[in-house]
Amino acid sequence: MLAFLIKRTANAAFVMLAVALLAFVIFRFFGDPVEMMVNEQATQADRAELRERLGLNDSFVTQYTRFVTNAAQGDFGISYRNQQDVMVLIGERFPATFELVLVATVISLVVGIPLGVITAVHRNSRLANALQLGSIVGVSLPSFVVGILLILGFSVSLGWLPAFGRGETVDIGWWSTGLLTPSGRAALVLPALSLSTFQITLVMRLVRAEMLETLRSDYVKFARARGVPKARVHWVHALRNCLMPVITLTGMQIGNLIAFALVTETVFQWPGMGLLFIQAVTFVDIPVMAAYLMLVSFIFVLLNTLVDVTYAWVDPRLRDDAAKAGGANG
Amino acid sequence: MADISPMTDTPKPPAETALPRRTRLTALRESDLWYSFRSHPSAIFAACLLALVALSALLAPLITPQDPYDLAALELWNAEIPPIWNAQGQWPYILGTDTQGRDILSAILYGSRISLVIGFASVMVALAVGLSLGLIAGYFGGWIDNVIMRLGDVLLSMPFILIAILITAVATAALPTHLKDVLAAPILILAIAVPSWVQYARTVRASAMVERKKDYVSAARLIRVKAWRIMLHHILPNCMTPILVAATLNFGLAILSEATLSFLGVGMPPDQPSLGTLIRVGNQYLFSGLWWIVVFPAIQLCLIVLSVNMIGDWLRDALNPKLR
C-alpha cells in the first residue's frame, strides 16, 4: 500500500510540475512582464533595473524553480490589470464558485438519482423512454444555452428570479456566503440549475446502468421472494448498492464543474473565479491566468488521486494494476 | 478435373449473370448496420435532421435572401424586425432581423457552415494525431510510448475547456492583430483537437499492444513488411469500431466546444460569426425584448448537437457485439 501511495503521489506531483511548466512558459514568453508593469515614461535604465530585480535575466531553470517554489506557497505575483496580489483576488472569488458548484452537485444528485432509478425500474415504459430521450437532449444542450433560456424564461418573461450577480452576501471570517440571505439564495437558483443540467444526465445514466445490473442479482430476487415491498427493494436495497460509483463520479466531476462554472459565471455575471479568469483572458492578465490554471488543475489532480487511493485502499487488487497503468484516468 | 477443361471456352452459365451484381450499395443494404438503422426511428430522424442542416448550410448562398457578410446589403430600416408570424414580421425575413438589419435565418445558415466545418476539421486533426501517436506508442513501446502517454496524462489532468481556452488565449495574444481574424478558425480547430486526441491514442495503443504480439504480425515482420505498413494495414483496421463511435460522439462535443469558446469571446470574431458568436452577440439584447436574435441560433445549435449525439448513441449500441 505504501509503495502504491508513493507511486501515485509521485505521479500527481509529476503532472503538477508539467502543468506548472506550461503555466510558466505562458507567463514568461507571451507578453513581456516588464512591458506590462512599467508606465510609458519609464527609461531604458528603469526597465533594465526592473528586469534585473524580477530575476528575468536568470537562467530558464532558475526561473522555473523560483516559479514553482513561489506557486507552492501560493504566491503568483501581482495582477497586471488591477495591481493586486493574485492570490488575494482569487481568494475573494473562491467562495462564490465553491457555493455554486456545491449547490449544482446537490441538485444533480437529488434530481439525477431518482430519475435513474425510475428509468431502470420501469424500463421500456413510456415514461422511461421519454426520460431517456430527455437525457440525450440534456447532454446536447450547451450549458450557456440553458443559462440563456432560463434567464429568458424566469427573469425576462416571468420576472421571478434575478438574472445576474450574487445578491446580498454575509461575511463569515474571510468566507462570504450568499446562502444566508433571501436575495443570495434567489440569485443562486438559475446559475446552479444551468450548471447542473449536464451533471443530472450524467448521474441519471450512471444510476440507470448500475440499477439494471443490480436488479438482476440474486439478493434482489430473494428480497422480492420474501415479500419485501417493491418500493423498499428498489429504493433501499438495490439503490444502496449503486451509490458507490455515483459517489466516485460526483467526486471526480467536481473538478470539471469548477472549470465549467466559468461558462455559467459568464452567462450570469456570477462573481466567481471563472469570471475572473475570463476577464483575465480578455485583458491578457497572465499572472491571474497562470494562477487559475494551476489552482483548477491542482483540485482536479488532487481529487483524481484521492479517488484512486481510496479505491486501492478498499480493493487491494487495484494496487498493482493502477500503479502499472499510471496517470489520472479522467 | 480433366473432364471440365473443355468447358472453359464456353460463356459462364446465365444463372450467374442473372443474379444482381454485388455492388457496394447492395452490400450496404444487406448489412446488419443498415438493418439496425432502419429499425431505429430515432436514428432515422437524427440522420434526416443532420442531412437537412448540412444541406441547407452547404447551399446557404443559394437559398438565403441575403449575404450576411455583405455590409452593403444591410439596411438599417430593416433592423429589429420580429419573426414572420408576428404582426410586424416582414417577408423575406422569416426569423426576423438583428439590430443592424441582418436576416437571422441567413446568419444562422452561414454560421452553421462555420460551426460544422470547425467541428469536423478538429475531429479529423485529433483523429490523425491520436491514431498515429497511439499506433507508434503501442507498436514500438519503450521510452517513446512513455513520452507520448505521459503527455496524454498531463492533458487529461486538466479540464478540456480550460486547455482549449488557454490555447486560443495564448495564440491570440501572440499573433499580430491583422492575422488574428484570419487565423481564428485554424486556432479553434487546434484548440479543440489538442485535448481530444488522447482518447483515440489510448484506444488504438491498447489494441496495437495486443496485436503486435500475434503471429500474423510476426509473420509480416519476418517477410520484412515495413513497420508503418503493418500499423496502417493490419493493426489499425482491427480497432476502427470503437474509434468510429468515439469520433461521432466527439464531433458533437467539438461543435459544442467551438460554440462555447465563441460564446466566451475567444472563438470566431463577430465578422465571421459561428453559431456561438451569434448567441454571444444576441445575448446582449436579451433584456430589450429582441429574443429572436438569440433564441433561433441557440435552437439550431442544439438541433445539430442533438442529431449528432443521437446518431452516436445508436452507432454505439449497433456496433456493440454484446447487445446484438
Side-chain angles (χ1 to χ4, degrees), chain A residues 14-15 30 136 140-142 144 148 151-152 163 205 259 262-263 266-267 281 292-293 297 300 327, chain B residues 153 156-159 162 165-166 169-170 174 256 263-264 279 286-287 295 301-302 306 309 313:
Chain A
F14 166 78
V15 169
F30 291 94
I136 300 185
S140 309
L141 281 175
F144 65 93
I148 290 174
I151 290 180
L152 204 57
R205 285 175 160 220
L262 69 89
V263 181
T266 311
V267 176
V281 166
Y292 180 82
L293 172 71
S297 300
F300 213 71
Chain B
D153 286 348
L156 283 192
S157 63
M158 287 184 273
L162 200 53
I165 292 176
L166 272 180
V170 167
L256 264 187
F263 175 76
L264 292 174
I279 298 170
L286 210 54
F287 290 93
V295 167
L301 177 65
C302 296
L306 180 66
N309 279 348
D313 261 23

mmCIF file of all heavy atoms in Angstrom, chain A residues 14-15 30 136 140-142 144 148 151-152 163 205 259 262-263 266-267 281 292-293 297 300 327, chain B residues 153 156-159 162 165-166 169-170 174 256 263-264 279 286-287 295 301-302 306 309 313:
data_model
loop_
_atom_site.group_PDB
_atom_site.id
_atom_site.type_symbol
_atom_site.label_atom_id
_atom_site.label_comp_id
_atom_site.label_asym_id
_atom_site.label_seq_id
_atom_site.Cartn_x
_atom_site.Cartn_y
_atom_site.Cartn_z
ATOM 1 N N PHE A 14 4.327 14.820 -10.626
ATOM 2 C CA PHE A 14 4.859 14.972 -11.986
ATOM 3 C C PHE A 14 3.889 15.771 -12.848
ATOM 4 O O PHE A 14 4.283 16.710 -13.554
ATOM 5 C CB PHE A 14 5.111 13.595 -12.608
ATOM 6 C CG PHE A 14 5.340 13.634 -14.092
ATOM 7 C CD1 PHE A 14 6.565 14.018 -14.608
ATOM 8 C CD2 PHE A 14 4.320 13.301 -14.977
ATOM 9 C CE1 PHE A 14 6.770 14.076 -15.971
ATOM 10 C CE2 PHE A 14 4.518 13.358 -16.344
ATOM 11 C CZ PHE A 14 5.744 13.744 -16.843
ATOM 12 N N VAL A 15 2.599 15.396 -12.757
ATOM 13 C CA VAL A 15 1.596 16.103 -13.561
ATOM 14 C C VAL A 15 1.550 17.577 -13.176
ATOM 15 O O VAL A 15 1.528 18.460 -14.042
ATOM 16 C CB VAL A 15 0.207 15.439 -13.391
ATOM 17 C CG1 VAL A 15 -0.875 16.315 -13.984
ATOM 18 C CG2 VAL A 15 0.192 14.080 -14.051
ATOM 19 N N PHE A 30 4.851 34.872 -23.263
ATOM 20 C CA PHE A 30 3.818 35.560 -24.034
ATOM 21 C C PHE A 30 3.538 36.899 -23.390
ATOM 22 O O PHE A 30 2.943 36.979 -22.326
ATOM 23 C CB PHE A 30 2.558 34.715 -24.151
ATOM 24 C CG PHE A 30 2.781 33.527 -25.019
ATOM 25 C CD1 PHE A 30 3.139 32.317 -24.464
ATOM 26 C CD2 PHE A 30 2.686 33.632 -26.398
ATOM 27 C CE1 PHE A 30 3.394 31.224 -25.267
ATOM 28 C CE2 PHE A 30 2.937 32.550 -27.199
ATOM 29 C CZ PHE A 30 3.284 31.334 -26.635
ATOM 30 N N ILE A 136 -30.605 12.481 -23.487
ATOM 31 C CA ILE A 136 -29.782 12.816 -24.659
ATOM 32 C C ILE A 136 -29.900 14.306 -24.955
ATOM 33 O O ILE A 136 -28.924 14.978 -25.264
ATOM 34 C CB ILE A 136 -30.214 12.004 -25.902
ATOM 35 C CG1 ILE A 136 -30.078 10.524 -25.618
ATOM 36 C CG2 ILE A 136 -29.359 12.370 -27.099
ATOM 37 C CD1 ILE A 136 -30.365 9.663 -26.813
ATOM 38 N N SER A 140 -26.989 17.246 -24.980
ATOM 39 C CA SER A 140 -26.761 18.036 -26.183
ATOM 40 C C SER A 140 -26.950 19.534 -25.977
ATOM 41 O O SER A 140 -26.539 20.323 -26.812
ATOM 42 C CB SER A 140 -27.707 17.586 -27.299
ATOM 43 O OG SER A 140 -27.638 16.198 -27.449
ATOM 44 N N LEU A 141 -27.613 19.921 -24.892
ATOM 45 C CA LEU A 141 -27.838 21.350 -24.666
ATOM 46 C C LEU A 141 -26.574 21.973 -24.094
ATOM 47 O O LEU A 141 -26.130 21.589 -23.027
ATOM 48 C CB LEU A 141 -28.980 21.553 -23.668
ATOM 49 C CG LEU A 141 -30.408 21.407 -24.173
ATOM 50 C CD1 LEU A 141 -31.362 21.529 -23.007
ATOM 51 C CD2 LEU A 141 -30.712 22.459 -25.205
ATOM 52 N N PRO A 142 -25.990 22.942 -24.794
ATOM 53 C CA PRO A 142 -24.823 23.615 -24.233
ATOM 54 C C PRO A 142 -25.233 24.344 -22.954
ATOM 55 O O PRO A 142 -26.349 24.881 -22.888
ATOM 56 C CB PRO A 142 -24.434 24.622 -25.312
ATOM 57 C CG PRO A 142 -25.222 24.276 -26.510
ATOM 58 C CD PRO A 142 -26.383 23.474 -26.094
ATOM 59 N N PHE A 144 -24.369 27.109 -21.709
ATOM 60 C CA PHE A 144 -24.672 28.543 -21.806
ATOM 61 C C PHE A 144 -26.035 28.779 -22.438
ATOM 62 O O PHE A 144 -26.731 29.736 -22.088
ATOM 63 C CB PHE A 144 -23.567 29.301 -22.551
ATOM 64 C CG PHE A 144 -23.377 28.949 -23.995
ATOM 65 C CD1 PHE A 144 -24.021 29.664 -24.975
ATOM 66 C CD2 PHE A 144 -22.540 27.917 -24.363
ATOM 67 C CE1 PHE A 144 -23.828 29.350 -26.308
ATOM 68 C CE2 PHE A 144 -22.344 27.596 -25.687
ATOM 69 C CZ PHE A 144 -22.997 28.313 -26.674
ATOM 70 N N ILE A 148 -29.073 30.908 -20.844
ATOM 71 C CA ILE A 148 -29.776 31.998 -21.538
ATOM 72 C C ILE A 148 -31.277 31.741 -21.550
ATOM 73 O O ILE A 148 -32.083 32.644 -21.292
ATOM 74 C CB ILE A 148 -29.236 32.135 -22.975
ATOM 75 C CG1 ILE A 148 -27.806 32.685 -22.944
ATOM 76 C CG2 ILE A 148 -30.112 33.048 -23.804
ATOM 77 C CD1 ILE A 148 -27.134 32.721 -24.284
ATOM 78 N N ILE A 151 -32.719 32.457 -18.160
ATOM 79 C CA ILE A 151 -32.842 33.905 -17.936
ATOM 80 C C ILE A 151 -34.052 34.448 -18.690
ATOM 81 O O ILE A 151 -34.875 35.187 -18.152
ATOM 82 C CB ILE A 151 -31.570 34.643 -18.421
ATOM 83 C CG1 ILE A 151 -30.400 34.317 -17.512
ATOM 84 C CG2 ILE A 151 -31.798 36.149 -18.451
ATOM 85 C CD1 ILE A 151 -29.119 34.993 -17.913
ATOM 86 N N LEU A 152 -34.183 33.999 -19.958
ATOM 87 C CA LEU A 152 -35.292 34.459 -20.788
ATOM 88 C C LEU A 152 -36.625 34.092 -20.150
ATOM 89 O O LEU A 152 -37.559 34.894 -20.101
ATOM 90 C CB LEU A 152 -35.170 33.806 -22.172
ATOM 91 C CG LEU A 152 -35.830 34.516 -23.342
ATOM 92 C CD1 LEU A 152 -35.294 35.915 -23.462
ATOM 93 C CD2 LEU A 152 -35.550 33.741 -24.627
ATOM 94 N N ALA A 163 -31.287 37.691 -12.765
ATOM 95 C CA ALA A 163 -30.556 37.089 -13.875
ATOM 96 C C ALA A 163 -29.055 37.226 -13.719
ATOM 97 O O ALA A 163 -28.303 36.545 -14.392
ATOM 98 C CB ALA A 163 -30.985 37.732 -15.191
ATOM 99 N N ARG A 205 -27.809 8.595 -16.015
ATOM 100 C CA ARG A 205 -27.381 7.479 -16.863
ATOM 101 C C ARG A 205 -26.586 6.451 -16.064
ATOM 102 O O ARG A 205 -26.738 5.240 -16.260
ATOM 103 C CB ARG A 205 -26.531 7.997 -18.013
ATOM 104 C CG ARG A 205 -27.358 8.674 -19.056
ATOM 105 C CD ARG A 205 -26.507 9.277 -20.127
ATOM 106 N NE ARG A 205 -27.310 9.485 -21.316
ATOM 107 C CZ ARG A 205 -26.889 9.267 -22.549
ATOM 108 N NH1 ARG A 205 -25.682 8.851 -22.775
ATOM 109 N NH2 ARG A 205 -27.682 9.469 -23.575
ATOM 110 N N ALA A 259 -14.276 23.976 -13.428
ATOM 111 C CA ALA A 259 -13.818 24.541 -14.694
ATOM 112 C C ALA A 259 -15.004 25.008 -15.526
ATOM 113 O O ALA A 259 -14.987 26.079 -16.122
ATOM 114 C CB ALA A 259 -13.010 23.510 -15.465
ATOM 115 N N LEU A 262 -17.006 28.407 -15.241
ATOM 116 C CA LEU A 262 -16.620 29.678 -15.860
ATOM 117 C C LEU A 262 -17.585 30.080 -16.964
ATOM 118 O O LEU A 262 -17.809 31.270 -17.196
ATOM 119 C CB LEU A 262 -15.171 29.639 -16.352
ATOM 120 C CG LEU A 262 -14.728 28.785 -17.524
ATOM 121 C CD1 LEU A 262 -14.863 29.524 -18.836
ATOM 122 C CD2 LEU A 262 -13.269 28.407 -17.323
ATOM 123 N N VAL A 263 -18.193 29.067 -17.634
ATOM 124 C CA VAL A 263 -19.189 29.387 -18.655
ATOM 125 C C VAL A 263 -20.450 29.938 -17.987
ATOM 126 O O VAL A 263 -20.965 30.996 -18.367
ATOM 127 C CB VAL A 263 -19.525 28.130 -19.482
ATOM 128 C CG1 VAL A 263 -20.552 28.477 -20.551
ATOM 129 C CG2 VAL A 263 -18.279 27.558 -20.109
ATOM 130 N N THR A 266 -19.997 33.364 -16.681
ATOM 131 C CA THR A 266 -20.044 34.404 -17.704
ATOM 132 C C THR A 266 -21.486 34.746 -18.060
ATOM 133 O O THR A 266 -21.836 35.918 -18.212
ATOM 134 C CB THR A 266 -19.306 33.937 -18.968
ATOM 135 O OG1 THR A 266 -18.037 33.437 -18.579
ATOM 136 C CG2 THR A 266 -19.120 35.054 -19.942
ATOM 137 N N VAL A 267 -22.326 33.721 -18.195
ATOM 138 C CA VAL A 267 -23.725 33.971 -18.568
ATOM 139 C C VAL A 267 -24.421 34.801 -17.493
ATOM 140 O O VAL A 267 -25.132 35.757 -17.794
ATOM 141 C CB VAL A 267 -24.477 32.642 -18.772
ATOM 142 C CG1 VAL A 267 -25.958 32.902 -19.055
ATOM 143 C CG2 VAL A 267 -23.864 31.846 -19.902
ATOM 144 N N VAL A 281 -8.349 36.627 -19.354
ATOM 145 C CA VAL A 281 -8.038 36.221 -20.723
ATOM 146 C C VAL A 281 -8.233 37.402 -21.668
ATOM 147 O O VAL A 281 -7.398 37.670 -22.527
ATOM 148 C CB VAL A 281 -8.923 35.024 -21.149
ATOM 149 C CG1 VAL A 281 -8.862 34.814 -22.649
ATOM 150 C CG2 VAL A 281 -8.468 33.763 -20.442
ATOM 151 N N TYR A 292 -4.987 30.628 -11.983
ATOM 152 C CA TYR A 292 -6.235 29.891 -12.124
ATOM 153 C C TYR A 292 -5.980 28.502 -12.698
ATOM 154 O O TYR A 292 -6.504 27.498 -12.214
ATOM 155 C CB TYR A 292 -7.191 30.672 -13.028
ATOM 156 C CG TYR A 292 -8.520 30.005 -13.256
ATOM 157 C CD1 TYR A 292 -9.537 30.118 -12.311
ATOM 158 C CD2 TYR A 292 -8.765 29.258 -14.400
ATOM 159 C CE1 TYR A 292 -10.758 29.512 -12.519
ATOM 160 C CE2 TYR A 292 -9.982 28.646 -14.613
ATOM 161 C CZ TYR A 292 -10.980 28.779 -13.667
ATOM 162 O OH TYR A 292 -12.180 28.169 -13.869
ATOM 163 N N LEU A 293 -5.135 28.455 -13.742
ATOM 164 C CA LEU A 293 -4.793 27.167 -14.353
ATOM 165 C C LEU A 293 -4.204 26.213 -13.319
ATOM 166 O O LEU A 293 -4.601 25.047 -13.208
ATOM 167 C CB LEU A 293 -3.790 27.399 -15.491
ATOM 168 C CG LEU A 293 -3.187 26.152 -16.119
ATOM 169 C CD1 LEU A 293 -4.233 25.428 -16.937
ATOM 170 C CD2 LEU A 293 -2.001 26.492 -16.997
ATOM 171 N N SER A 297 -6.200 22.859 -11.941
ATOM 172 C CA SER A 297 -5.526 21.591 -12.197
ATOM 173 C C SER A 297 -5.182 20.890 -10.898
ATOM 174 O O SER A 297 -5.276 19.661 -10.789
ATOM 175 C CB SER A 297 -4.252 21.815 -13.002
ATOM 176 O OG SER A 297 -4.550 22.410 -14.213
ATOM 177 N N PHE A 300 -8.253 19.264 -9.553
ATOM 178 C CA PHE A 300 -8.533 18.141 -10.442
ATOM 179 C C PHE A 300 -7.647 16.937 -10.104
ATOM 180 O O PHE A 300 -8.126 15.830 -9.886
ATOM 181 C CB PHE A 300 -8.237 18.628 -11.859
ATOM 182 C CG PHE A 300 -9.091 18.041 -12.920
ATOM 183 C CD1 PHE A 300 -10.416 18.396 -13.029
ATOM 184 C CD2 PHE A 300 -8.566 17.153 -13.843
ATOM 185 C CE1 PHE A 300 -11.204 17.870 -14.036
ATOM 186 C CE2 PHE A 300 -9.340 16.623 -14.848
ATOM 187 C CZ PHE A 300 -10.660 16.984 -14.946
ATOM 188 N N GLY A 327 -1.037 7.432 -14.120
ATOM 189 C CA GLY A 327 -1.765 8.554 -14.682
ATOM 190 C C GLY A 327 -3.168 8.703 -14.151
ATOM 191 O O GLY A 327 -3.728 7.802 -13.545
ATOM 192 N N ASP B 153 -1.436 11.934 -20.327
ATOM 193 C CA ASP B 153 -1.877 12.007 -18.924
ATOM 194 C C ASP B 153 -1.973 13.459 -18.460
ATOM 195 O O ASP B 153 -2.923 13.842 -17.794
ATOM 196 C CB ASP B 153 -0.886 11.273 -18.013
ATOM 197 C CG ASP B 153 -1.009 9.771 -18.162
ATOM 198 O OD1 ASP B 153 -1.999 9.333 -18.781
ATOM 199 O OD2 ASP B 153 -0.127 9.050 -17.673
ATOM 200 N N LEU B 156 -4.958 15.120 -19.925
ATOM 201 C CA LEU B 156 -6.220 14.679 -19.320
ATOM 202 C C LEU B 156 -6.343 15.134 -17.874
ATOM 203 O O LEU B 156 -7.412 15.033 -17.284
ATOM 204 C CB LEU B 156 -6.342 13.159 -19.380
ATOM 205 C CG LEU B 156 -6.712 12.567 -20.728
ATOM 206 C CD1 LEU B 156 -7.071 11.110 -20.576
ATOM 207 C CD2 LEU B 156 -7.868 13.308 -21.362
ATOM 208 N N SER B 157 -5.264 15.631 -17.285
ATOM 209 C CA SER B 157 -5.358 16.055 -15.892
ATOM 210 C C SER B 157 -5.776 17.515 -15.793
ATOM 211 O O SER B 157 -5.834 18.070 -14.712
ATOM 212 C CB SER B 157 -4.037 15.837 -15.166
ATOM 213 O OG SER B 157 -3.065 16.640 -15.755
ATOM 214 N N MET B 158 -6.049 18.127 -16.947
ATOM 215 C CA MET B 158 -6.623 19.470 -16.919
ATOM 216 C C MET B 158 -7.987 19.393 -17.598
ATOM 217 O O MET B 158 -8.151 18.641 -18.553
ATOM 218 C CB MET B 158 -5.732 20.444 -17.688
ATOM 219 C CG MET B 158 -4.461 20.790 -16.962
ATOM 220 S SD MET B 158 -3.536 22.017 -17.882
ATOM 221 C CE MET B 158 -2.606 21.000 -18.973
ATOM 222 N N PRO B 159 -8.956 20.187 -17.116
ATOM 223 C CA PRO B 159 -10.263 20.157 -17.754
ATOM 224 C C PRO B 159 -10.172 20.572 -19.212
ATOM 225 O O PRO B 159 -9.427 21.488 -19.561
ATOM 226 C CB PRO B 159 -11.073 21.168 -16.943
ATOM 227 C CG PRO B 159 -10.378 21.260 -15.638
ATOM 228 C CD PRO B 159 -8.938 21.029 -15.916
ATOM 229 N N LEU B 162 -10.637 24.209 -20.250
ATOM 230 C CA LEU B 162 -9.552 25.084 -19.802
ATOM 231 C C LEU B 162 -8.390 25.059 -20.800
ATOM 232 O O LEU B 162 -7.829 26.105 -21.145
ATOM 233 C CB LEU B 162 -9.097 24.608 -18.424
ATOM 234 C CG LEU B 162 -8.342 25.602 -17.582
ATOM 235 C CD1 LEU B 162 -9.114 26.884 -17.464
ATOM 236 C CD2 LEU B 162 -8.077 25.012 -16.217
ATOM 237 N N ILE B 165 -9.414 27.003 -23.942
ATOM 238 C CA ILE B 165 -9.389 28.455 -23.736
ATOM 239 C C ILE B 165 -7.952 28.959 -23.703
ATOM 240 O O ILE B 165 -7.615 29.975 -24.317
ATOM 241 C CB ILE B 165 -10.101 28.839 -22.429
ATOM 242 C CG1 ILE B 165 -11.593 28.565 -22.541
ATOM 243 C CG2 ILE B 165 -9.893 30.317 -22.100
ATOM 244 C CD1 ILE B 165 -12.345 28.835 -21.277
ATOM 245 N N LEU B 166 -7.081 28.223 -22.991
ATOM 246 C CA LEU B 166 -5.678 28.652 -22.890
ATOM 247 C C LEU B 166 -5.034 28.736 -24.263
ATOM 248 O O LEU B 166 -4.325 29.711 -24.558
ATOM 249 C CB LEU B 166 -4.895 27.672 -22.025
ATOM 250 C CG LEU B 166 -4.908 27.983 -20.547
ATOM 251 C CD1 LEU B 166 -4.103 26.949 -19.807
ATOM 252 C CD2 LEU B 166 -4.310 29.366 -20.301
ATOM 253 N N ALA B 169 -6.391 31.676 -26.124
ATOM 254 C CA ALA B 169 -5.961 32.933 -25.498
ATOM 255 C C ALA B 169 -4.499 33.213 -25.812
ATOM 256 O O ALA B 169 -4.141 34.327 -26.205
ATOM 257 C CB ALA B 169 -6.176 32.862 -23.987
ATOM 258 N N VAL B 170 -3.649 32.181 -25.656
ATOM 259 C CA VAL B 170 -2.218 32.378 -25.887
ATOM 260 C C VAL B 170 -1.955 32.667 -27.359
ATOM 261 O O VAL B 170 -1.181 33.574 -27.700
ATOM 262 C CB VAL B 170 -1.440 31.129 -25.416
ATOM 263 C CG1 VAL B 170 -0.015 31.176 -25.929
ATOM 264 C CG2 VAL B 170 -1.453 31.049 -23.914
ATOM 265 N N ALA B 174 -0.324 36.078 -28.886
ATOM 266 C CA ALA B 174 0.976 36.037 -29.537
ATOM 267 C C ALA B 174 0.933 36.560 -30.965
ATOM 268 O O ALA B 174 1.936 37.013 -31.487
ATOM 269 C CB ALA B 174 1.509 34.600 -29.530
ATOM 270 N N LEU B 256 -20.016 21.656 -29.829
ATOM 271 C CA LEU B 256 -20.355 22.293 -28.553
ATOM 272 C C LEU B 256 -19.206 23.144 -28.037
ATOM 273 O O LEU B 256 -19.398 24.280 -27.585
ATOM 274 C CB LEU B 256 -20.655 21.225 -27.492
ATOM 275 C CG LEU B 256 -22.085 20.842 -27.245
ATOM 276 C CD1 LEU B 256 -22.175 19.907 -26.068
ATOM 277 C CD2 LEU B 256 -22.883 22.086 -26.965
ATOM 278 N N PHE B 263 -18.800 31.726 -27.679
ATOM 279 C CA PHE B 263 -19.684 32.446 -26.765
ATOM 280 C C PHE B 263 -18.868 33.218 -25.721
ATOM 281 O O PHE B 263 -19.204 34.335 -25.354
ATOM 282 C CB PHE B 263 -20.636 31.476 -26.060
ATOM 283 C CG PHE B 263 -21.489 32.137 -25.032
ATOM 284 C CD1 PHE B 263 -22.574 32.904 -25.403
ATOM 285 C CD2 PHE B 263 -21.186 32.028 -23.684
ATOM 286 C CE1 PHE B 263 -23.352 33.540 -24.458
ATOM 287 C CE2 PHE B 263 -21.950 32.660 -22.731
ATOM 288 C CZ PHE B 263 -23.032 33.422 -23.123
ATOM 289 N N LEU B 264 -17.773 32.603 -25.252
ATOM 290 C CA LEU B 264 -16.947 33.252 -24.232
ATOM 291 C C LEU B 264 -16.122 34.394 -24.810
ATOM 292 O O LEU B 264 -15.497 35.146 -24.072
ATOM 293 C CB LEU B 264 -16.011 32.237 -23.585
ATOM 294 C CG LEU B 264 -16.689 31.177 -22.722
ATOM 295 C CD1 LEU B 264 -15.676 30.154 -22.260
ATOM 296 C CD2 LEU B 264 -17.367 31.819 -21.535
ATOM 297 N N ILE B 279 -24.883 33.711 -30.790
ATOM 298 C CA ILE B 279 -25.542 33.669 -29.479
ATOM 299 C C ILE B 279 -24.915 34.706 -28.549
ATOM 300 O O ILE B 279 -25.599 35.380 -27.790
ATOM 301 C CB ILE B 279 -25.457 32.253 -28.890
ATOM 302 C CG1 ILE B 279 -26.194 31.265 -29.784
ATOM 303 C CG2 ILE B 279 -26.044 32.209 -27.486
ATOM 304 C CD1 ILE B 279 -25.985 29.828 -29.439
ATOM 305 N N LEU B 286 -30.914 40.465 -24.798
ATOM 306 C CA LEU B 286 -31.860 39.603 -24.094
ATOM 307 C C LEU B 286 -32.899 40.432 -23.346
ATOM 308 O O LEU B 286 -34.078 40.106 -23.334
ATOM 309 C CB LEU B 286 -31.071 38.731 -23.114
ATOM 310 C CG LEU B 286 -31.623 37.363 -22.794
ATOM 311 C CD1 LEU B 286 -31.860 36.592 -24.066
ATOM 312 C CD2 LEU B 286 -30.641 36.621 -21.912
ATOM 313 N N PHE B 287 -32.441 41.535 -22.746
ATOM 314 C CA PHE B 287 -33.345 42.297 -21.891
ATOM 315 C C PHE B 287 -34.117 43.364 -22.651
ATOM 316 O O PHE B 287 -34.966 44.032 -22.101
ATOM 317 C CB PHE B 287 -32.573 42.938 -20.737
ATOM 318 C CG PHE B 287 -32.110 41.923 -19.757
ATOM 319 C CD1 PHE B 287 -30.852 41.362 -19.871
ATOM 320 C CD2 PHE B 287 -32.945 41.509 -18.727
ATOM 321 C CE1 PHE B 287 -30.441 40.404 -18.971
ATOM 322 C CE2 PHE B 287 -32.535 40.544 -17.839
ATOM 323 C CZ PHE B 287 -31.279 39.988 -17.958
ATOM 324 N N VAL B 295 -32.481 33.318 -29.606
ATOM 325 C CA VAL B 295 -33.120 32.010 -29.457
ATOM 326 C C VAL B 295 -32.937 31.125 -30.694
ATOM 327 O O VAL B 295 -32.628 29.941 -30.566
ATOM 328 C CB VAL B 295 -34.621 32.190 -29.117
ATOM 329 C CG1 VAL B 295 -35.365 30.881 -29.267
ATOM 330 C CG2 VAL B 295 -34.756 32.684 -27.696
ATOM 331 N N LEU B 301 -28.166 25.336 -32.954
ATOM 332 C CA LEU B 301 -27.010 24.687 -32.333
ATOM 333 C C LEU B 301 -27.440 23.404 -31.622
ATOM 334 O O LEU B 301 -26.823 22.343 -31.779
ATOM 335 C CB LEU B 301 -26.344 25.653 -31.347
ATOM 336 C CG LEU B 301 -25.174 25.111 -30.552
ATOM 337 C CD1 LEU B 301 -24.024 24.782 -31.477
ATOM 338 C CD2 LEU B 301 -24.714 26.107 -29.500
ATOM 339 N N CYS B 302 -28.522 23.508 -30.840
ATOM 340 C CA CYS B 302 -28.991 22.342 -30.099
ATOM 341 C C CYS B 302 -29.422 21.230 -31.058
ATOM 342 O O CYS B 302 -29.142 20.059 -30.809
ATOM 343 C CB CYS B 302 -30.159 22.711 -29.193
ATOM 344 S SG CYS B 302 -29.695 23.866 -27.925
ATOM 345 N N LEU B 306 -27.776 17.666 -30.991
ATOM 346 C CA LEU B 306 -28.692 16.585 -30.638
ATOM 347 C C LEU B 306 -28.677 15.494 -31.701
ATOM 348 O O LEU B 306 -28.577 14.298 -31.378
ATOM 349 C CB LEU B 306 -30.104 17.150 -30.480
ATOM 350 C CG LEU B 306 -31.178 16.139 -30.103
ATOM 351 C CD1 LEU B 306 -30.918 15.608 -28.715
ATOM 352 C CD2 LEU B 306 -32.560 16.771 -30.153
ATOM 353 N N ASN B 309 -25.444 13.528 -31.537
ATOM 354 C CA ASN B 309 -25.394 12.653 -30.365
ATOM 355 C C ASN B 309 -26.328 11.451 -30.505
ATOM 356 O O ASN B 309 -25.999 10.349 -30.068
ATOM 357 C CB ASN B 309 -25.784 13.432 -29.108
ATOM 358 C CG ASN B 309 -24.616 14.233 -28.571
ATOM 359 O OD1 ASN B 309 -23.476 14.034 -29.003
ATOM 360 N ND2 ASN B 309 -24.887 15.136 -27.664
ATOM 361 N N ASP B 313 -25.122 7.675 -30.290
ATOM 362 C CA ASP B 313 -25.696 6.720 -29.339
ATOM 363 C C ASP B 313 -26.163 5.451 -30.040
ATOM 364 O O ASP B 313 -25.919 4.342 -29.574
ATOM 365 C CB ASP B 313 -26.894 7.366 -28.618
ATOM 366 C CG ASP B 313 -26.498 7.889 -27.267
ATOM 367 O OD1 ASP B 313 -25.286 8.146 -27.088
ATOM 368 O OD2 ASP B 313 -27.373 8.031 -26.401
#
